[in-house]
Amino acid sequence: MSDSVPRGIEPTGLQDLYRELILDHSKHPHGRGLHDGALAQSHQVNPTCGDEVTLQLQPGADGRIRKITWEGHGCSISQASASILASVVDDDSPEQLSERIESFRAMMHSRGQLAGDEDLLGDAIVFQGASRYVARVKCAMLPWVAAEAALSGIR
Amino acid sequence: MTHEPPLPLRFWAPLGRLACDMERHTVTRTGEHVTTSTTAGRTPVLISDSYFERLRQDFPLLEQSVNGHPLVYLDSGATAQRPVTVLDAETDFLLTRNAAVHRGAHTLAAEATELFEDARATIAAFIGAQPDEVVWTSGATEALNLVAYAISNASLGRGGVATERFRLTAGDEIVVTEMEHHANLIPWQELAARTGATLRVIGLTDDGRLRLDQAEEIIGERTRLVCFTHVSNVLGTVNPVTHLARLAHEVGALVVLDACQSVPHMPVDVAALDVDFAAFSGHKMLGPNGIGVLFGRSELLNALPPFLTGGSMITTVTLESAEYLPAPQRFEAGTQQVSQAVALAEAVHYLNDVGVARVHEHEQHLTAHLLSRLAELPGIRLLGPASAEERSGLASFTVDGVHAHDVGQYLDDVGIAVRVGHHCAQPLHRRFGVTATTRISTYLYNTTAEIDFAIDRLATVREFFGADDDGANA
Ligand SMILES: Cc1ncc(COP(=O)(O)O)c(C=O)c1O
């Protein structure tokens, strides 16, 4: 056994999952913090790992969503996903945000087949690699599901 | 690995069929044919790692590669892999003896029933119980719920005066511990909610042992049930069962032991431990899924009302009511999982052939090695006792700045399978201020080389995730 176990082999597929941008966001997350006066908020838990996120839609003019803020804890994928979602949303109409969420979901459920729509997803297209790791799709989806649930509260 | 052949010699031979099976040899992965023999009565010898390394040939699954690396399976605490003889025993049964048991008079049904009951006797002997004290269930979870619901039914008055001793009402207390798997916690929460009884909890010390001072305070006049795990599936702590059983019995309470993480890994004698009920699952002890065991002292099982009701557990049924068979059949309603029971008995033969005391010794050796190597790594926080004493062959830990899921993914990338998450023990994790841990759990087929490989990989996980830079954030 000891002879057959190769040592010192560098990660290969891992780089595709843990893209530099994802690791950066997980270490230096954007949009953290909850505030009074949010349009809507949602708390989501991933029951298999206990990761959680509380996400708020902050009000802009004319019923728009000025930005997203959040608090939570979890793995680097869920944390980076929340951070990138917060960095992508910028004075969105509810329809626009909803479109982003749908586009993200389609990419995440594609098992690596679908390159994300960069116009809608911005940096969130880096999660295409994660969509190949079936067990991690839920991690990436967690904040987007929270955004969707919050959105359904105002529509 | 040499060991006893499965069923053929004892059961199939007299039936005059399948004579070829009497000569059956085990073909190992290396193509070597080994004749089988029993090790019963063999004097213990010091077992080297290489002995256990050879056992791996009996587990074809372990030979595969994952992500281009040899699989290093360190998740037996969740489910164990099965030796070929166990798989064969189940297939052989299905190919030649499959029938519903305790029903029908045809030859096949009689043979299946005999094998089913013999499997019960095998399991009973393995844990120091009588055959009629072994109830087949689908697993430990069902076994624990069975006890909870039977007591619940008694509390509703089912079973008349005979079940009065089990009745719970407001003011009664059910004692559990903070280290329980959800399967040995939620059934008691629910039982308390249904009966008005109060749930009391024995807390933990910082090094993951039960607070025995608290146990002595909590277990008292009002205590009716004391439910705890023999071995924690997260901390590895081996609890002082006889001590707790004495505290419980002194006040007339019943003891329910979760033996999921002990029966597969160390000699367990339920009579010597003096517990009233014990539950464990086949799939954690080299056996199949869908089969588990509830041990109950015969006097108690025969006094309890049933939980699941239906076919095969009755004597007389009218349109209004039914009378029930004695235990264990009283608790085995419906068509039983016969091939799984037969295969579980084969798993027990396998464990007996190796010697469960040796399995324990091997795991102690692996654990001591694992703990000392983990202690070398900066940024690793071990949950549970720091030394291998009174500890089973598993270890859970956190990695500073890296979430358990990411640790698991990083290990999986080189073929190392570990469990990450809360391991169905959220209150325990909360007690230690974490939501998730990484757990390495070993069994008889693991080697120190595998532990070393996992530790060497772990040594670089913080660097990969940048957790040793400043600004790191878990
Ligand atoms: C300590 C403990 N109790 C109970 C269980 C539940 O066992 P099962 O899921 O096989 O019913 C497990 C395994 O997951 C366990 O480790």
Side-chain angles (χ1 to χ4, degrees), chain A residues 1-2 4-7 9-15 17-18 23 26-29 32 47-51 73-77 133 136 139, chain B residues 53 56 69-72 403 405-406 409-410 413-414 421-422 426 435-436 447 449-450 452-453 456-457 464-466 469-474:
Chain A
M1 173 74 219
S2 47
S4 59
V5 175
R7 281 158 192 274
I9 289 191
E10 275 319 298
T12 46
L14 269 198
Q15 251 86 17
L17 172 65
Y18 295 116
L23 291 179
S26 80
K27 273 178 282 169
H28 308 286
R32 284 193 89 124
T48 54
C49 57
D51 287 5
H73 58 85
C75 65
S76 57
I77 301 295
Y133 291 78
R136 306 307 294 272
C139 311
Chain B
E53 235 166 87
R56 297 172 65 86
H69 298 263
L71 169 66
V72 173
H403 189 275
H405 261 207
D406 295 323
Q409 193 84 57
Y410 187 72
D413 197 52
V414 292
H422 53 60
Q426 285 184 10
T435 50
T447 64
E450 289 181 302
D452 284 334
F453 183 62
D456 291 347
R457 179 68 176 171
F464 180 84
F465 287 98
D469 317 338
D470 24 330
N473 146 345

Side-chain angles (χ1 to χ4, degrees), chain B residues 259-312:
Chain B
C260 278
Q261 297 290 343
S262 58
V263 165
H265 302 279
M266 61 180 69
V268 170
D269 182 325
V270 288
L273 289 175
D274 200 20
V275 296
D276 299 298
F277 299 97
F280 54 95
S281 289
H283 69 95
K284 293 185 199 284
M285 53 187 291
L286 314 179
N289 280 317
I291 187 83
V293 167
L294 172 68
F295 156 80
R297 286 203 291 117
S298 117
E299 173 236 342
L300 297 171
L301 287 180
N302 281 310
L304 275 172
F307 161 40
L308 297 175
T309 54
S312 296

Side-chain angles (χ1 to χ4, degrees), chain B residues 65 91 196 210 218 282 296 300 319 325 346 356 369 372 391 408 458 472:
Chain B
S65 294
T91 311
L210 288 180
I218 289 176
L300 297 171
L319 283 176
L325 282 166
E346 190 55 35
V356 76
H369 187 68
S372 78
R391 207 182 203 291
L458 262 180

